[in-house]
DNA sequence: CCTGGATCTGACAACGTTGTCCAGGCTCTA
DNA sequence: TAGAGCCTGGACAACGTTGTCAGATCCAGG
């Protein structure tokens, strides 16, 4: 009775353990372990008996115990902004594929662009002793990671750099991409060019804004405040921002959209607008080529970002990689029509 | 020396444990545990000392050990076909949100539509003792899950039913949706209607095909073999299949596309085609409204599928839910133009 | 028949945590 | 002032696995 009371309440109707298998097969505990792990030194006859017991009982090794004993979980964590964002799909998948190639599982979570939630998630993953972390940061202070890094948790940041700590990071060249995109519009004769982007506290947003400014400055075009919308992110307000730029006292003839969600909303606004307005968007998206006109974009390779990050992560784990680096992947301008429209109005 | 030799090689440069914290704070092991878990019965002064030691050492509780002791992992597994598929993004996210609300983490993996890989993933998740599984099955025989179910792993299938076992499943009404979509085309005067779908061994594909057949039969229209393309899935072959239907001896005037990827490819083909052809697709997709003409679709609510499944999962874990059920969520026809084109040619 | 070596097997401790239980110190009341 | 009862803290076992090491078994060769 005291015996059963001591048993912790657990959800698995007391699954069979190696001990149970051993008892049933009439062998020792360690022999079962050997069979389960394919270690040598077991006679075929013994192995058969053990295998039979395993099948009969429906035994499945408890990896929690294994992890506890061995110290490595063979799993990595991925923290991103929103699993549902089409930009992150290919990225996650790429990370997963690399993890799989290294025999690791992927645990992931969405931070919803909330720094507290990011930290909560990251620490939960650390408590589970993931071997490594791929983080698309929401916050800009990652000092909370210091004990983890010191303890040897491999970490790679993607898409945006870590804040206040020195860590590996894999980025797209947001600055260069935006500058090229805006320069492309300028080359097609535009001078009054609008920029709609996310909050400048997000690194990529800030870099893209910087690219926009650089391109304008290179062309000697002074920027009017009314041409810029920053930190506006939900569709309704992006719509309003776009409309204001198009109808203000000094209306823009072209728009540079800072990310795929903004681009999509702007496409909708422009579709309702009588005067043709040129558009270049950061991030490619499906069907961009089928719209009328096709949408010219600065494309970044999300899968490649994920792949690169995951590969670096496993090289950290191998010990091949020591010094944190910053890797910038190039972007690619894809012209489809919307960015080549001449200024109108 | 024997001491260090016995220590297993592990990746975490020997992180501090509760024992270390206890030693540093000059208290007992259990007291540290109490502080970490916010249990009552610790004086503020003691708590302060312990907290100080925790911060100083960078201690983080090892959840593997905790799981081993407590028997519940507070994590659930999600196995789907492809994380990168935009259809699964909102679904995963919805599952994650529900999990989060229950304090559980999400571990997920892509089966890549390969039954062996699905099984491998599912069993790996079971070995980690996830509390429950949400599975979008690739295979059609899930008897391998029987020991797990018996052991009390909560399981919900989504989008497609389990094979050979009795389990909870949450589906969209593929049959009804497809029938309505095809009936819609018939109502607009079409009689030669093509169907392009995935392999009929996939449940949803088979159901949608059945819906197509039912609608045609209801209207008394005999189906010609040349109007159906089944099991073709990569863009190039879908393209060829569509072109054959459009140019064959008895060319179709409308196409019903069995899933979002097929729809997108068909849109491309039709865009190059001189004669207007009507189109209804299963699954909604972003920007469908902005194409010329807008694409009429049978929409299913991926997020709702995920939410429903995850909620049922946690109700299984609560013990509120015992008997497996089959839940079918309705689909919704969204008319945007492409499905309302009259027959031409 | 015995010995040496190789091969196979099992007892045991340890991984880091939590549940149980008991000891000691304190407060409060009769 | 003694006894009851509460509060705090700590010793110990157990969770299921794996590494270590020593014991058991077998066979060939002397």
């Amino acid at each position: 009775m005291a015996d059963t009371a001591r048993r912790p309440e657990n959800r698995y109707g007391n699954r069979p353990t190696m001990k149970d298998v051993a008892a049933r097969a009439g062998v020792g505990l360690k022999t079962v372990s050997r069979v389960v792990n394919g270690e040598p030194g077991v006679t075929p006859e013994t192995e058969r008996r053990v295998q039979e017991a395993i099948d009969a009982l429906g035994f499945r090794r408890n990896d929690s115990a294994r992890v506890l004993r061995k110290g490595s979980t063979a799993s990595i964590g991925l923290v991103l902004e929103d699993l549902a964002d089409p930009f992150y799909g290919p990225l996650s998948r790429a990370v997963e594929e690399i993890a799989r190639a290294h025999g690791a599982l992927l645990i992931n979570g969405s931070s919803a662009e909330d720094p507290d939630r990011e930290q909560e998630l990251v620490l939960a993953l650390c408590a589970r002793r993931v071997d490594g972390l791929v983080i698309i940061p929401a916050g800009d202070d990652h000092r909370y990671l210091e004990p983890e890094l010191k303890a040897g948790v491999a970490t790679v940041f993607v898409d945006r750099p870590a804040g206040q700590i020195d860590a590996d990071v894999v980025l797209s060249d947001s600055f260069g991409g935006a500058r090229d995109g805006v320069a492309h519009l300028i080359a097609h004769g535009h001078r009054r060019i609008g920029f709609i982007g996310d909050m400048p506290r997000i690194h990529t947003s800030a870099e893209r804004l910087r690219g926009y400014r650089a391109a304008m400055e290179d062309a000697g075009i002074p920027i009017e405040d009314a041409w810029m919308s920053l930190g506006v992110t939900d569709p309704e307000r992006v719509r309003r921002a776009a409309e204001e730029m198009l109808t203000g006292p000094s209306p823009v003839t072209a728009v540079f959209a800072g990310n795929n969600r903004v681009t999509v909303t702007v496409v909708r606004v422009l579709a309702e607008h009588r005067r043709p307005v040129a558009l270049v968007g950061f991030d490619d998206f499906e069907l961009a080529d089928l719209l009328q006109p096709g949408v010219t974009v600065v494309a970044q390779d999300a899968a490649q970002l994920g792949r690169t990050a995951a590969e670096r992560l496993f090289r950290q784990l191998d010990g091949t990689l020591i010094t944190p680096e910053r890797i910038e992947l190039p972007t690619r301008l894809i012209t489809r029509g919307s960015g080549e429209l001449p200024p109108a109005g």
Side-chain angles (χ1 to χ4, degrees), chain A residues 201-283:
Chain A
R201 91 174 162 72
I202 298 178
H203 177 262
T204 49
S205 303
E207 284 292 289
R208 291 169 199 177
L209 176 59
R210 199 163 68 81
Y212 163 75
R213 290 205 143 108
M216 296 294 267
E217 189 171 338
D218 287 352
I221 307 172
I223 300 173
E224 296 187 18
D225 281 350
W227 298 347
M228 290 187 298
S229 158
L230 307 175
V232 157
T233 169
D234 69 296
E236 202 33 61
R237 291 175 56 199
V238 168
R239 166 177 291 271
R240 222 172 316 139
E243 276 162 2
E244 276 166 21
M245 281 179 201
L246 293 170
T247 55
S250 172
V252 301
T253 63
V255 174
F256 186 85
N259 66 47
N260 57 355
R261 280 163 303 169
V262 169
T263 306
V264 168
T265 306
V266 172
V267 166
R268 285 180 206 284
V269 173
L270 296 188
E272 297 161 10
H273 204 253
R274 36 202 170 338
R275 185 161 50 80
V277 172
L279 170 67
V280 173
F282 207 109
D283 288 345

Side-chain angles (χ1 to χ4, degrees), chain A residues 135-166:
Chain A
I135 303 178
I136 295 161
D140 48 12
D141 182 354
H142 296 92
R143 276 172 298 182
Y144 69 86
L145 264 172
E146 272 170 358
E148 315 303 331
L149 294 177
K150 214 159 51 188
V153 180
T155 309
V156 180
F157 285 75
V158 186
D159 195 41
R160 311 167 194 170
Q164 317 275 358
I165 61 169
D166 192 26

Side-chain angles (χ1 to χ4, degrees), chain A residues 29 51 73-74 172 206 240 262 298 304 325 330 334 340-342:
Chain A
L29 186 52
Q51 195 56 56
T73 54
S172 282
R240 222 172 316 139
V262 169
V298 177
Q304 188 58 41
E325 267 180 76
I334 304 178
E340 294 74 48
L341 294 175

